[in-house]
Amino acid sequence: MNPNQLNDICLRQLTFSGVHEAETVAVLSRGAERADYADSFMFAAQQLGASTYHMRLPDATDAAGAWAVGESGLAGNPLAVDALKQADMLVDLTFLLFSKEQFAIQDAGTRILTCVEPAPLLAKLMPTKELRERVEVGDEILKKASTMRITSPHGTDVTYQLGVYPTMTEYGYTDTPGRWDHWPAAFVFTGGADDGVDGTIVLAPGDVLLPFNTYVQNPVKLTIEKGFITDIRGVDGASSLDADLLAAYIKSFDDPRGYGMSHVGWGLDERAQWHGLTQFPGGMGMELRSFYGNVMFSIGPNNELGGPNDTPCHFDIPMRGCSLFLDDEPIVVDGDIVVPDMRPGGK
Ligand SMILES: O=c1ccc(O)c[nH]1
């Protein structure tokens, strides 16, 4: 993307995020990654009259490969964390989510925006106030529920006991002290009680495995008991390469908490495309987490909701064509949101 365009979308982003004179915006990056984003965010912050600086961490030294969430590069670096706590806003170009350091910075009142996706996708999925309002409607509804049931024509039937963990919104900008968000995003989620998720999930062709960044090709049956996955296999005795890959990946962490059930919710952005992974390679799949009417469940840590599971093994799995009920009230039916206030244009 041309640097002027990148400046322009960063300026729009920081305007949405309420940056103003007398604020300090810190930008965090790692190694040589996203130096152009850092420059554009700092330029945008200056245009809005804020002070700004860029903190660059060394490259990760651990073996590349697994997406080990929570290992932030700030661990063991209290001076750096303290500096970031002093900022009003932190633009995180590294993906700090699930790390202790992110929570400490938020607790100090610093708002955090993560931004790691390819620039054309950032431009395509600029936040809007309307989408924020619809995500917040979802938050209000989800907060009040005590159970969530998800079903699908392929055989999914799983129930989450709610009420233990808070709900979280992601609408792609953050103008509230201490609040984290991720650009681009449009979804709402919570987590089931630690021992309160039971049933079966059948992944169908076209459901999405993040961080593999692949579409499921052979159905996968997951058995869930008391909040943990106890079995992963193909359906009706059929072999499934996707089941084998999922099982092998989780096993490689050698951590029983990697089988825990993590966050769960639905996506609301009608501009986000299910086929998006084919169009914007190189990102972490935020378009897929956000596409309208997807039901996304996750595996692994629940510490971002205040839970005890901080395993680095994490999957997000957006699914098509599911139905989601809160206390038996339909919210998503066959992949379509049925609550008018959450639909585009409120219809
Ligand atoms: O924005 C995100 C990204 C990953 C994740 O698990 C949740 N939210």
Side-chain angles (χ1 to χ4, degrees):
M1 179 180 282
N2 158 322
N4 292 328
Q5 276 175 291
L6 190 57
N7 286 343
D8 179 53
I9 59 172
C10 290
L11 180 59
R12 284 162 65 198
Q13 166 58 244
L14 293 193
T15 305
F16 269 111
S17 290
V19 171
H20 57 82
E21 275 172 30
E23 283 203 315
T24 298
V25 177
V27 180
L28 180 71
S29 74
R30 206 165 178 181
E33 282 174 356
R34 302 184 189 92
D36 52 342
Y37 288 26
D39 286 343
S40 291
F41 273 113
M42 286 196 292
F43 187 57
Q46 284 178 307
Q47 285 177 293
L48 294 169
S51 308
T52 185
Y53 68 91
H54 178 188
M55 179 185 287
R56 180 175 160 214
L57 296 172
D59 239 332
T61 49
D62 43 348
W67 185 44
V69 297
E71 293 170 8
S72 71
L74 283 172
N77 207 340
L79 287 183
V81 175
D82 276 348
L84 299 174
K85 284 181 182 171
Q86 311 296 319
D88 297 289
M89 177 166 177
L90 167 62
V91 177
D92 161 33
L93 304 178
T94 72
F95 197 74
L96 291 174
L97 186 63
F98 302 106
S99 68
K100 289 193 186 69
E101 295 75 29
Q102 165 158 332
F103 305 135
I105 295 165
Q106 284 179 258
D107 286 347
T110 304
R111 60 193 192 278
I112 305 182
L113 181 82
T114 297
C115 174
V116 295
E117 289 285 7
L121 186 64
L122 300 176
K124 175 181 157 181
L125 300 180
M126 274 314 291
T128 73
K129 292 220 160 72
E130 195 249 357
L131 207 41
R132 172 184 181 163
E133 280 163 18
R134 283 161 46 207
V135 170
E136 287 180 336
V137 170
D139 183 45
E140 286 302 315
I141 295 174
L142 184 53
K143 252 194 226 152
K144 296 190 191 112
S146 45
T147 61
M148 178 191 290
R149 180 170 175 223
I150 301 169
T151 62
S152 81
H154 303 277
T156 294
D157 193 347
V158 63
T159 300
Y160 287 70
Q161 305 302 327
L162 307 181
V164 176
Y165 292 117
T167 59
M168 278 180 68
T169 54
E170 290 191 38
Y171 45 79
Y173 65 99
T174 183
D175 60 3
T176 316
R179 181 176 178 277
W180 168 80
D181 209 317
H182 191 169
W183 175 29
F187 51 96
V188 61
F189 58 93
T190 186
D194 293 331
D195 59 354
V197 189
D198 291 274
T200 302
I201 295 180
V202 180
L203 304 181
D207 292 343
V208 188
L209 296 171
L210 305 171
F212 290 174
N213 288 11
T214 55
Y215 293 96
V216 168
Q217 313 231 356
N218 328 110
V220 180
K221 183 176 171 196
L222 300 160
T223 305
I224 297 129
E225 293 170 286
K226 294 191 171 24
F228 282 84
I229 295 169
T230 53
D231 193 52
I232 304 175
R233 64 179 65 226
V235 170
D236 292 337
S239 68
S240 165
L241 178 61
D242 295 297
D244 293 349
L245 285 169
L246 187 61
Y249 180 85
I250 299 177
K251 188 162 180 259
S252 73
F253 282 80
D254 195 18
D255 180 355
R257 300 166 314 153
Y259 296 90
M261 293 301 279
S262 173
H263 54 88
V264 64
W266 63 93
L268 291 102
D269 193 343
E270 65 286 3
R271 303 166 307 169
Q273 302 288 331
W274 160 72
H275 67 269
L277 276 180
T278 65
Q279 301 301 302
F280 296 101
M284 61 167 287
M286 289 307 287
E287 183 166 21
L288 284 299
R289 291 178 177 85
S290 303
F291 77 84
Y292 183 80
N294 88 74
V295 170
M296 181 170 81
F297 82 100
S298 304
I299 304 173
N302 65 359
N303 56 338
E304 94 280 28
L305 293 162
N309 189 341
D310 63 355
T311 178
C313 178
H314 184 45
F315 264 95
D316 285 324
I317 306 188
M319 301 182 292
R320 295 187 298 169
C322 289
S323 299
L324 183 151
F325 305 85
L326 293 176
D327 297 334
D328 298 326
E329 285 298 316
I331 307 297
V332 180
V333 173
D334 298 335
D336 192 16
I337 297 173
V338 296
V339 178
D341 287 350
M342 273 193 287
R343 291 168 63 94
K347 294 183 203 122

